[in-house]
Amino acid sequence: MYSVIINNKEHHGEAGQTILNLLHRIGVDVPALCYDERLHPFSVCRSCLVKVKGQDQLQPACRTLVTDKMVVETHTSEIEDYRKGILQMLARDYPFSEVTRFPQKEFHQWLKHYGITEETKNTTTPVIDSSHPYMQVDMGRCINCSRCVKICDELQGQFVWHIINRGDKTKIISDSKSLFAESSCVSCGACADACPTGAIEDKQAIKLGTPDEITRSVCAYCGVGCEIEIGVKEQKIVGVHPAKNALVNKGHLCVKGRYAWEYMYAGDRITQPMIRYAGKWKKASWDEAIKYCAERLTSISKKHGADSISIIGSARATNEDNYCIQKFARAVIGTNNVDNCARVCHQPTAKAMSMVLGMGASTNSFDDIERAKTILVAGADTTESHPVVGARIKQAAIKGANLIVIDPRRTELAEYATFHLQLKPGTNIPLFHAMAHVIVSEKLHNEEFIINRTEGWDEFKKFIAEWTPERAAKICGVHPRLIRESARLFAQKSPSMCFHGLGLTEHTQGTENVMALITIALLTGNIGKEGAGINPLRGQNNVQGSAVMGCDPAVYTGMASVKTERKRFEELWKTYLPATRGLTLPEMLDAAVAGDLKAMWIIGYDVFFTMPNSKHTKEAFDMLDFIIVQDMFMNETAKKFADVFLPCASSFEKAGTFMNAERRIQKVRAAVSRPQEVKADWEVVCIMAAAMKKKELFNFSSAQDIWNEIRDTWSAAYGITYERLDNNGIQWPCPTTDHPGTTILHTETFPREGGRAKLSIIEFCPTTEQVTPAYPFILITGRTLYHFNAGNMTYRTANKDICPADLLHLNPKDANIIGLQDGDTARVVSKYGEASLTVCIDKSLNKGEAFSTFNDARVFINKITSPLRDKYVQTPEYKITAVRIEKCSA
Ligand SMILES: Nc1nc2c(c(=O)[nH]1)N[C@H]1C(S)=C(S)[C@@H](COP(=O)(O)OP(=O)(O)OC[C@H]3O[C@@H](n4cnc5c(=O)[nH]c(N)nc54)[C@H](O)[C@@H]3O)O[C@H]1N2
Ligand SMILES: Nc1nc2c(c(=O)[nH]1)N[C@H]1C(S)=C(S)[C@@H](COP(=O)(O)OP(=O)(O)OC[C@H]3O[C@@H](n4cnc5c(=O)[nH]c(N)nc54)[C@H](O)[C@@H]3O)O[C@H]1N2
Ligand code: SF4
Ligand code: SF4
Ligand SMILES: [Mo]
């Protein structure tokens, strides 16, 4: 601790702290117009100058570190005059009408503070660029502070804004040198968030005004779990900004968290229950709808048995919602037929990690990104799918971390990679085996870790000796030299951290792909320490939570096995629980086709639209007697098949918790009240339970009540109370109320019998979905930044103006052979169906491979995707479908 005298008073500062940091902490305000806490100080505006005793010149507070016994003056008349002069200079030509219009802007407040109000004659005429759907640019208001340039470079890594010219002619322009919308901007809004004048401003703020109230919460899109600040005015959201001190996102957001919340106010949001009688939807009261559902479910159960009913939890809803959903399935209906969309996503990860490491959850934290020397990203398009993590990885690579990207496509991260292993889709296992072979044969493995912490080493050594890079290269198409160099880099430049996505899991070998990846981490001792680990980039905001809460046919809350822990749960819930094995979602569809499943209650999941081979899904739904859909919107499943629609509250309108990809439980807070007839998912479940005469099991009056019951059933979360969940959340395991939470798992042992992890022996068994002369292309499906999954939310925002449709990405050579050009319409035909898409020529794809997103209901790509599934957990092989591509004549 240093003793620092500021304006004649003693304060305590720390080593490494700047004077400005200290001033902020003690509440002394000075203008700092180029400073932003998220950036390295660069001190161009000179507005934060202070007097440091012993120095002749005034010093920039943002860049000067405190030292012991330092004496600082911040507001002498000399400094104040100087500052006023700087502000006057910046305000020369400034359009003062904007100061009155937007008084809260930081620059405007300082002008007011220093009494600078006079409008000069030469006020610049506004040069407004409204081309971007979310941001307006008016460089007439720019004071050249450079915050936008710096934040785009240092936080997002997009390098959109540039400073040109010098002196009076200095200007900020985007890399399009023309309209902003034509630049390489990814719409994260960091520049608009940082701009002190409003020269770059959110259109939402211009249109809706400034908030009177701010509520901290969590983004409801992806599994990164960024913390947000929701601005509310007169009970309506007017803007969302990043929480500056959030551990996960560090003051950053992507376009979805920042701007894509307007679905909340979509004109076609359903705000009242509805029942479909003889093909026609009719509005109903809650009493009517619930009574109807309860009667139908009861009579189906009586007639066909409890196992003829299934319930699907929502990876978009809170932990509390999902806890109630699975408890309802088991304790009210009496079935283990409950699942969630982790099934089609990272269930292979959960399975592989629990088989091999003993626990199906991410081992490390996002904060390890900056600690890793090598980062391996396999089958994950992070800058599209987990953009805030993607930006952190990109920054790490820019700062010198080694990066290995394993993906059949040249993703954005591949551009920053030391090595890009552009394998053929579906050949992960040979590639990982060959890397393991190199590590073992070149003795780069961590013998001590292997001996002390793993089992199966002798067998593994024998097995892996056969997997030379030359053998693997023939299958995966990656040059043996690249395989060798990547393996050496991963083993030698550690700690090495693995991230993976659906490029591993959504394959017939999904679970085995993840096991093979884990093996490489185990061989090199890269588990259980900082900057390392196996880190699945979980999909939706609460997909990890939905599964951990027990929306899974084989596990109860806290990943407790139905097989072994039934008795404990019967005692906890004070009711009989079913012992029969539950069905997974793909099995439910099969059972429906077979006539064994009769009813489904689907909460927050557009099953029909997002399951593969939709002909099969349709057959299944056609066979069901009764379907309830609970959502904000009439999604594709509801439109075509539902008998009852129950409207739900959005995450902005309810309280609860989400669990992000790094096991962090974070608090979701209601920022606005919900439409009158709309309920939180858990409330609907509770009233349904009451209607089915099980009220006593669902006596909850708040999300917190539910959370407390969850704590009682799941010891690893017992220490996480709502009171402790202030900002930044807590990562489980957290067994006691004074436990800080766990950032890194498996530091000492693995939670398996014997405490060791397993080196797995995996034979490679290729998918049977292969190209043939009739279907000569492999279609990969996956993500794009602007749309989210079923598209029900993002297509109801201005994201659709930036990205209006699903596209078919094709290598230029392939397009040329077929005679297709950018913008043409192509017909894509598989053995299962056909779809039409607009063509986008894309060099990031290898020849013979095509790519499309799956968010656009008009395209409905799942009409053509393959029905094949992972052997262990039945995750669909969305990443490989053999197709034929034809030009559509107009
Ligand atoms: N913007 C946006 N963000 C999202 C979502 C969204 O829809 N939009 N969805 C969320 C959800 S639910 C999820 S699960 C995550 C998914 O996030 P990601 O896992 O990043 O998703 P994908 O883009 O489907 O697939 C990732 C990559 O796998 C590659 N790939 C395909 N086959 C193979 C293979 O055999 N081997 C390897 N190594 N790679 C392969 C693809 O080329 C693709 O680049 O994103 C979440 N975030
Ligand atoms: N071809 C192809 N298909 C795929 C994939 C692929 O890569 N390729 N990926 C698959 C993957 S990984 C996934 S996860 C699935 C995702 O498929 P879905 O789970 O269907 O997609 P989402 O859009 O995430 O969300 C579903 C619904 O939840 C609603 N919702 C949002 N918040 C709430 C809430 O709080 N409560 C309730 N009740 N509803 C809410 C939304 O309006 C939306 O309709 O798609 C899968 N389908
Ligand atoms: S546009 Fe805003 S943030 Fe960028 S230099 Fe100008 S005033 Fe600063
Ligand atoms: S990275 Fe994910 S959690 Fe963060 S703002 Fe974007 S969608 Fe939301
Ligand atoms: Mo997902």
Side-chain angles (χ1 to χ4, degrees):
M1 272 294 175
Y2 295 150
S3 155
V4 185
I5 308 289
I6 294 181
N7 302 334
N8 301 320
K9 259 177 98 178
E10 186 181 354
H11 295 277
H12 294 287
E14 288 160 26
Q17 195 174 38
T18 62
I19 299 178
L20 191 65
N21 294 151
L22 182 57
L23 294 181
H24 283 159
R25 211 193 71 212
I26 63 175
V28 173
D29 242 3
V30 296
L33 289 166
C34 68
Y35 172 83
D36 187 294
E37 65 196 277
R38 295 164 287 186
L39 303 175
H40 291 109
F42 51 99
S43 153
V44 294
C45 79
R46 322 286 295 164
S47 65
C48 70
L49 294 190
V50 293
K51 174 94 191 132
V52 177
K53 195 171 169 192
Q55 304 271 355
D56 295 342
Q57 309 261 323
L58 296 177
Q59 300 295 311
C62 67
R63 250 212 336 215
T64 311
L65 297 180
V66 294
T67 53
D68 199 24
K69 313 248 162 29
M70 188 181 237
V71 179
V72 180
E73 296 269 12
T74 63
H75 284 80
T76 63
S77 55
E78 177 206 7
I79 303 173
E80 286 292 80
D81 287 349
Y82 181 84
R83 274 192 202 129
K84 186 166 178 179
I86 286 191
L87 283 156
Q88 264 164 338
M89 204 172 67
L90 291 175
R92 216 175 48 198
D93 306 342
Y94 197 79
F96 273 77
S97 55
E98 300 300 321
V99 180
T100 337
R101 248 178 97 202
F102 301 105
Q104 282 84 354
K105 286 275 144 193
E106 193 180 331
F107 181 57
H108 300 171
Q109 290 191 353
W110 285 116
L111 292 180
K112 187 166 163 235
H113 179 90
Y114 284 97
I116 305 167
T117 51
E118 236 163 274
E119 192 153 354
T120 55
K121 301 222 170 49
N122 322 331
T123 299
T124 9
T125 35
V127 210
I128 293 180
D129 173 353
S130 287
S131 59
H132 194 286
Y134 288 121
M135 284 169 272
Q136 174 183 290
V137 181
D138 171 9
M139 284 302 172
R141 265 200 270 170
C142 176
I143 56 169
N144 295 329
C145 72
S146 309
R147 277 189 196 174
C148 55
V149 179
K150 291 280 174 185
I151 206 153
C152 190
D153 296 359
E154 289 181 20
L155 203 61
Q156 176 56 37
Q158 203 62 23
F159 306 95
V160 172
W161 295 108
H162 298 269
I163 308 173
I164 54 161
N165 308 334
R166 292 177 150 261
D168 270 2
K169 297 226 160 48
T170 305
K171 249 173 85 170
I172 306 285
I173 59 162
S174 78
D175 60 7
S176 73
K177 301 196 174 71
S178 159
L179 290 178
F180 181 34
E182 288 162 14
S183 72
S184 65
C185 172
V186 291
S187 316
C188 73
C191 54
D193 187 62
C195 179
T197 67
I200 308 175
E201 181 62 292
D202 295 344
K203 285 186 170 174
Q204 291 164 341
I206 298 170
K207 187 168 142 209
L208 304 168
T210 27
D212 342 300
E213 226 183 300
I214 305 279
T215 304
R216 185 160 168 143
S217 196
V218 185
C219 172
Y221 282 106
C222 89
V224 174
C226 296
E227 286 194 84
I228 54 175
E229 287 185 346
I230 308 163
V232 174
K233 183 178 174 182
E234 290 154 15
Q235 270 307 306
K236 281 211 130 182
I237 300 178
V238 295
V240 172
H241 289 264
K244 297 260 168 35
N245 58 355
L247 269 184
V248 168
N249 47 311
K250 314 223 181 298
H252 195 23
L253 289 176
C254 82
V255 57
K256 292 179 294 305
R258 177 92 156 82
Y259 293 119
W261 47 265
E262 287 170 330
Y263 61 83
M264 281 270 296
Y265 301 114
D268 62 348
R269 180 167 171 195
I270 313 268
T271 54
Q272 213 182 329
M274 301 208 290
I275 303 177
R276 180 145 50 186
Y277 294 107
K280 281 234 156 59
W281 284 112
K282 275 183 113 170
K283 285 187 181 161
S285 68
W286 275 102
D287 280 351
E288 209 180 328
I290 294 288
K291 190 162 169 272
Y292 183 73
C293 293
E295 279 171 11
R296 293 292 308 266
L297 292 174
T298 309
S299 83
I300 290 170
S301 175
K302 273 203 184 122
K303 196 159 159 209
H304 304 282
D307 287 334
S308 69
I309 298 174
S310 72
I311 307 195
I312 306 293
S314 179
R316 311 301 303 277
T318 62
N319 290 315
E320 292 75 1
D321 294 328
N322 281 286
Y323 176 81
C324 289
I325 291 165
Q326 57 88 38
K327 185 175 177 185
F328 180 93
R330 295 177 162 125
V332 180
I333 302 288
T335 181
N336 283 310
N337 289 342
V338 57
D339 210 352
N340 82 94
C341 78
R343 181 65 51 199
V344 303
C345 181
H346 270 287
Q347 198 60 26
T349 298
K351 181 74 181 174
M353 292 182 81
S354 65
M355 285 197 296
V356 176
L357 302 177
M359 194 184 286
S362 195
T363 63
N364 285 57
S365 307
F366 296 140
D367 272 350
D368 285 288
I369 293 171
E370 288 81 14
R371 298 181 187 122
K373 288 220 177 84
T374 301
I375 302 173
L376 181 149
V377 178
D381 192 0
T382 54
T383 54
E384 304 286 326
S385 313
H386 301 88
V388 166
V389 164
R392 284 179 70 174
I393 297 176
K394 208 154 97 173
Q395 289 295 340
I398 291 169
K399 292 195 182 101
N402 304 296
L403 179 62
I404 302 169
V405 170
I406 304 180
D407 201 298
R409 300 182 305 135
R410 196 160 177 85
T411 56
E412 186 186 354
L413 273 192
E415 300 290 337
Y416 292 80
T418 327
F419 299 116
H420 174 207
L421 311 184
Q422 200 163 6
L423 79 177
K424 291 190 183 131
T427 63
N428 297 286
I429 290 172
L431 177 60
F432 291 145
H433 281 358
M435 287 177 75
H437 172 95
V438 174
I439 290 166
V440 175
S441 66
E442 297 189 6
K443 305 213 170 354
L444 307 174
H445 58 275
N446 183 335
E447 186 93 18
E448 193 191 334
F449 185 92
I450 295 173
I451 301 295
N452 292 333
R453 305 220 31 206
T454 69
E455 60 184 43
W457 177 221
D458 290 337
E459 300 91 301
F460 183 80
K461 250 191 303 194
K462 274 186 226 130
F463 167 75
I464 212 66
E466 309 287 318
W467 274 103
T468 62
E470 283 68 21
R471 174 180 169 195
K474 288 202 190 95
I475 308 169
C476 69
V478 179
H479 198 284
R481 183 182 47 81
L482 263 183
I483 302 179
R484 286 204 165 83
E485 288 188 18
S486 305
R488 288 173 193 147
L489 188 69
F490 186 85
Q492 292 178 313
K493 294 280 175 356
S494 67
S496 301
M497 182 171 193
C498 297
F499 285 103
H500 73 271
L502 305 180
L504 299 202
T505 61
E506 288 178 344
H507 284 286
T508 51
Q509 323 84 357
T511 304
E512 294 168 333
N513 284 335
V514 180
M515 288 160 80
L517 174 69
I518 298 171
T519 300
I520 298 176
L522 288 173
L523 288 175
T524 53
N526 274 304
I527 295 194
K529 63 179 190 188
E530 281 195 345
I534 295 292
N535 301 282
L537 288 159
R538 299 304 303 255
Q540 294 131 311
N541 53 329
N542 199 37
V543 64
Q544 175 92 42
S546 178
V548 173
M549 288 305 108
C551 287
D552 182 303
V555 298
Y556 300 119
T557 315
M559 296 171 294
S561 157
V562 168
K563 246 194 222 151
T564 57
E565 304 223 32
R566 184 158 69 102
K567 211 161 169 3
R568 179 164 74 87
F569 276 80
E570 287 190 328
E571 278 161 19
L572 276 165
W573 291 345
K574 299 188 181 60
T575 186
Y576 159 82
L577 293 175
T580 42
R581 187 183 162 272
L583 301 175
T584 64
L585 173 57
E587 287 171 342
M588 289 172 198
L589 299 180
D590 297 348
V593 172
D596 298 331
L597 192 81
K598 299 292 179 191
M600 245 173 145
W601 179 4
I602 305 171
I603 302 170
Y605 187 172
D606 201 348
V607 175
F608 173 52
F609 182 55
T610 58
M611 286 301 278
N613 186 21
S614 59
K615 199 157 73 187
H616 176 69
T617 319
K618 179 175 182 312
E619 274 164 26
F621 282 147
D622 279 340
M623 289 289 289
L624 292 175
D625 292 343
F626 186 55
I627 301 175
I628 311 170
V629 167
Q630 187 162 316
D631 203 300
M632 291 176 284
F633 304 107
M634 189 58 75
N635 62 31
E636 296 302 306
T637 311
K639 249 186 237 166
K640 307 234 170 35
F641 303 103
D643 298 288
V644 177
F645 186 98
L646 302 176
C648 69
S650 77
S651 66
F652 294 103
E653 300 158 337
K654 65 181 178 187
T657 55
F658 292 154
M659 186 188 297
N660 82 347
E662 28 151 51
R663 296 172 278 105
R664 191 182 298 277
I665 311 263
Q666 307 193 98
K667 211 178 213 171
V668 177
R669 300 174 181 88
V672 287
S673 53
R674 54 183 87 135
Q676 205 184 355
E677 290 290 319
V678 158
K679 296 186 192 298
D681 292 303
W682 68 264
E683 291 173 319
V684 181
V685 176
C686 292
I687 53 173
M688 193 78 84
M692 294 179 75
K693 309 205 167 41
K694 287 286 169 84
K695 186 170 189 300
E696 72 284 2
L697 301 181
F698 289 82
N699 260 330
F700 302 119
S701 55
S702 66
Q704 185 169 4
D705 273 359
I706 304 168
W707 182 253
N708 284 334
E709 187 173 305
I710 296 169
R711 289 173 54 224
D712 287 337
T713 63
W714 178 27
S715 58
Y718 182 76
I720 306 177
T721 61
Y722 261 37
E723 289 75 20
R724 289 187 72 198
L725 276 184
D726 196 11
N727 296 335
N728 287 323
I730 298 178
Q731 288 166 281
W732 61 267
C734 174
T736 55
T737 49
D738 55 1
H739 190 288
T742 308
T743 53
I744 303 176
L745 294 177
H746 318 315
T747 49
E748 307 287 329
T749 60
F750 292 97
R752 292 177 81 236
E753 221 180 289
R756 287 160 180 273
K758 185 163 169 40
L759 294 170
S760 328
I761 292 181
I762 296 158
E763 300 295 347
F764 175 55
C765 177
T767 176
T768 52
E769 183 77 16
Q770 297 284 346
V771 291
T772 61
Y775 302 103
F777 287 92
I778 290 295
L779 175 74
I780 305 171
T781 59
R783 267 110 193 123
T784 183
L785 174 65
Y786 289 101
H787 288 297
F788 199 83
N789 292 349
N792 291 316
M793 291 152 80
T794 47
Y795 268 98
R796 285 179 172 82
T797 69
N799 282 25
K800 72 170 184 316
D801 301 337
I802 308 178
C803 179
D806 281 345
L807 299 173
L808 181 72
H809 295 250
L810 271 181
N811 175 290
K813 289 190 185 127
D814 288 332
N816 197 25
I817 293 167
I818 311 168
L820 285 165
Q821 291 180 349
D822 251 332
D824 283 353
T825 306
R827 185 167 40 244
V828 187
V829 188
S830 75
K831 280 177 261 174
Y832 321 102
E834 60 176 77
S836 296
L837 294 93
T838 306
V839 170
C840 168
I841 310 286
D842 184 347
K843 284 199 211 120
S844 73
L845 281 155
N846 269 334
K847 256 186 103 236
E849 289 160 22
F851 175 81
S852 97
T853 47
F854 65 100
N855 323 104
D856 185 346
R858 296 159 301 182
V859 169
F860 212 125
I861 202 72
N862 280 317
K863 283 190 292 197
I864 73 173
T865 44
S866 147
L868 299 184
R869 300 168 184 169
D870 173 66
K871 324 187 184 59
Y872 286 84
V873 296
Q874 296 141 27
T875 300
E877 189 161 60
Y878 292 112
K879 296 292 177 263
I880 297 189
T881 304
V883 297
R884 174 167 78 235
I885 299 170
E886 299 163 350
K887 184 172 174 148
C888 280
S889 39

